[in-house]
Amino acid sequence: MSVTDVAEQETASRPREERIINDFAIQVATVNGSGSQTANMVLLRSIFQMGVPVSGKNMFPSNIAGLPTWYTIRASAKGYIGRKKEVDLLVAMNVETAKEDVLTLAPGAAVVYDEPLKLNELRKDLTFYPVPFDKIINPITTDAKLRRLVRNMIYDGVLSRLLSIDMMQMEKALRKQLGKKEKAIQLNFGALKAGYDFAKANLTKQDPFVVEPMDKTTGMILIEGNSAAAIGCMMAGVTFVGWYPITPSSSLCESLIEYLKAHMPDHKTHRFYFDHGTATLDAMYGPYQLRADSLMRSAGYKDGVNVMTRVIDGAEHNETAWRVRMGEALAFLIGR
């Protein structure tokens, strides 16, 4: 039996409903560290670019890699951005939570799922779309790590076909998300296109949910919470930022650095002084100071003129060391 036959058989007993346009909630159930955030943001932005008001919310009980995470996207022609209680379309990618995720759905919802999970056996009042993710991703790349990260783009392609999301908008959103990383763009787009092609050839549309172009997002921007927080930090006059790698990753600091590059104070009217020692905690500062120096130079600052960086050999990270060089710092900043 083909996957098309499965989708048709499981919904044959239910009458086809009228289309529900730009009014539904998608929930993507994955695991931390699987690379799903890129796929989710591309999906969210694609709908937004079609002029449909949309919002996204990530929920995860733990930062530990491999534990569950649920990302909910709400599309609302009326502009509602709060999370809906009901999930209309579930993308079930987490083996550990898939059964429970399906059992909690309201009748009439749709499920895109990894075919080996056999979730279609759990209920008869849902529309199921089985997708063999591993088979589809195999021709895309032979790298096992990359397969794990880009396989999520397959469900973007499947949803693009099922929900009538413009593939041109999908590619545009992908490029926005990945910037100048052309190799990554091509790899992810290959998975995106493979998912779309699979759905076109094998899945018959049986649910009522669809996206149609609107003009309700003209003049609006789509921004992540981390990016908004970064802008707030910059406008408040942030003077220091530090972070460490976690999964899932936080883009707040990376976003802040990019905003600072674009909105540095005018080098004609400002001065900056940096210094650090080479002992205790200060021994860790070197690589980060080099990044700061590069940022200052790219903004037009010149060493010794309106920016100074000093490395004090043997100095420690404490008030005694800072007191010794305070006079020099102040003299430079006030132009003496």
Side-chain angles (χ1 to χ4, degrees):
M1 180 179 292
S2 70
V3 288
T4 304
D5 293 334
V6 171
E8 290 177 345
Q9 177 178 312
E10 290 163 358
T11 56
S13 61
R14 292 184 283 120
R16 179 183 291 272
E17 304 173 42
E18 294 185 4
R19 296 197 308 165
I20 299 176
I21 302 171
N22 300 336
D23 186 18
F24 54 83
I26 303 170
Q27 185 175 82
V28 182
T30 56
V31 296
N32 290 332
S34 65
S36 59
Q37 185 68 357
T38 296
N40 295 335
M41 287 303 302
V42 168
L43 179 59
L44 179 74
R45 188 175 295 278
S46 297
I47 299 173
F48 177 82
Q49 290 169 176
M50 291 182 67
V52 181
V54 66
S55 63
K57 175 66 177 178
N58 198 20
M59 184 180 73
F60 48 93
S62 173
N63 285 335
I64 299 175
L67 290 187
T69 180
W70 293 268
Y71 191 84
T72 301
I73 295 174
R74 181 177 186 181
S76 171
K78 295 182 179 180
Y80 302 142
I81 60 174
R83 291 182 64 198
K84 285 180 62 177
K85 178 180 179 181
E86 301 83 8
V87 173
D88 300 304
L89 199 160
L90 170 70
V91 180
M93 300 290 289
N94 186 351
V95 176
E96 299 299 324
T97 67
K99 181 177 180 180
E100 183 178 355
D101 290 335
V102 169
L103 293 177
T104 57
L105 292 173
V111 183
V112 173
Y113 69 99
D114 196 7
E115 188 175 31
L117 298 180
K118 299 181 179 180
L119 299 181
N120 58 299
E121 299 176 357
L122 296 176
R123 295 177 59 174
K124 298 301 181 182
D125 57 349
L126 306 175
T127 299
F128 289 93
Y129 297 109
V131 179
F133 284 88
D134 288 337
K135 291 180 181 179
I136 296 174
I137 200 61
N138 283 342
I140 305 299
T141 177
T142 57
D143 187 296
K145 181 178 179 180
L146 290 178
R147 282 180 179 174
R148 181 177 63 84
L149 293 176
V150 304
R151 75 195 296 267
N152 293 298
M153 292 303 301
I154 294 174
Y155 65 70
D156 273 8
V158 171
L159 293 178
S160 176
R161 174 64 182 178
L162 292 176
L163 297 176
S164 300
I165 302 174
D166 190 339
M167 274 290 283
M168 291 183 62
Q169 297 298 342
M170 280 282 192
E171 182 178 5
K172 181 181 178 181
L174 178 63
R175 291 186 173 278
K176 172 73 174 179
Q177 185 71 19
L178 297 180
K180 298 179 180 180
K181 302 174 183 178
E182 190 59 34
K183 289 185 177 179
I185 290 172
Q186 293 303 319
L187 182 63
N188 280 271
F189 185 74
L192 177 67
K193 183 67 164 54
Y196 181 92
D197 290 343
F198 171 83
K200 182 178 180 179
N202 297 282
L203 301 179
T204 299
K205 174 74 169 177
Q206 295 291 334
D207 66 270
F209 308 107
V210 65
V211 178
E212 287 191 355
M214 299 180 67
D215 60 355
K216 293 292 186 70
T217 59
T218 303
M220 297 182 179
I221 64 170
L222 184 66
I223 187 169
E224 294 181 69
N226 283 335
S227 296
I231 293 176
C233 291
M234 181 180 69
M235 299 303 292
V238 62
T239 58
F240 173 81
V241 59
W243 71 104
Y244 66 97
I246 61 172
T247 299
S249 63
S250 169
S251 59
L252 194 159
C253 293
E254 288 82 356
S255 297
L256 176 59
I257 291 171
E258 293 304 314
Y259 286 129
L260 288 174
K261 287 181 181 178
H263 300 282
M264 286 290 292
D266 189 347
H267 63 85
K268 297 178 182 178
T269 57
H270 291 76
R271 287 188 173 208
F272 285 84
Y273 175 91
F274 302 94
D275 69 26
H276 66 85
T278 59
T280 63
L281 184 61
D282 273 26
M284 307 292 292
Y285 285 9
Y288 305 102
Q289 185 58 54
L290 292 176
R291 291 182 64 181
D293 293 342
S294 176
L295 176 62
M296 301 305 294
R297 285 192 292 270
S298 67
Y301 286 83
K302 295 183 179 180
D303 296 338
V305 178
N306 43 24
V307 64
M308 178 181 287
T309 295
R310 287 199 60 213
V311 179
I312 298 88
D313 189 47
E316 298 182 351
H317 186 84
N318 57 43
E319 290 82 356
T320 300
W322 301 333
R323 185 185 304 116
V324 171
R325 53 190 192 262
M326 178 61 72
E328 181 180 358
L330 291 176
F332 177 77
L333 291 173
I334 63 177
R336 292 182 180 178

